[in-house]
Amino acid sequence: ITGLSIRHVGERFQRSNDMISQYFRKFIFIFSLSPFYDAYVHMPAVDEVQSGIREDPRFWPFFQDAIGALDGSHIHAALGANDQAPYRNHK
């Protein structure tokens, strides 16, 4: 179950929010330690950037220091009130 709040997960599994929070912290700790992290987390190499981006001077300056993102990841971004008008009614 991804993207749900602790309250929703607690309701789904009929456990308290405190219990869900405790186990979530335990899993984060386990996944960040040596045996799991070293075996399953690999940073992408620079040559994995698509050639269309790497060879285009319009895009490469913005992506050259990027280390990658997971497919389907969501990065929250919020504009100030003065900058929102041009982006209204866009997906």
Side-chain angles (χ1 to χ4, degrees):
I1 297 177
T2 61
L4 296 177
S5 68
I6 288 177
R7 185 177 356 161
H8 285 104
V9 175
E11 184 70 29
R12 166 67 175 87
F13 292 105
Q14 296 295 302
R15 298 289 184 256
S16 71
N17 294 346
D18 185 51
M19 180 70 66
I20 298 298
S21 181
Q22 286 176 18
Y23 276 93
F24 181 75
R25 281 192 299 264
K26 285 181 183 181
F27 279 111
I28 292 297
F29 184 73
I30 290 169
F31 292 149
S32 65
L33 290 180
S34 185
F36 183 87
Y37 189 84
D38 293 341
Y40 295 103
V41 178
H42 304 285
M43 301 307 276
V46 174
D47 59 349
E48 292 181 16
V49 177
Q50 294 180 2
S51 62
I53 293 174
R54 189 177 44 237
E55 296 169 3
D56 193 330
R58 295 176 300 161
F59 302 127
W60 185 242
F62 301 102
F63 289 96
Q64 66 184 355
D65 295 326
I67 60 171
L70 297 174
D71 290 340
S73 62
H74 177 77
I75 300 171
H76 179 73
L79 294 172
N82 296 337
D83 298 324
Q84 291 178 0
Y87 297 98
R88 287 199 178 100
N89 298 323
H90 288 82
K91 292 183 179 180

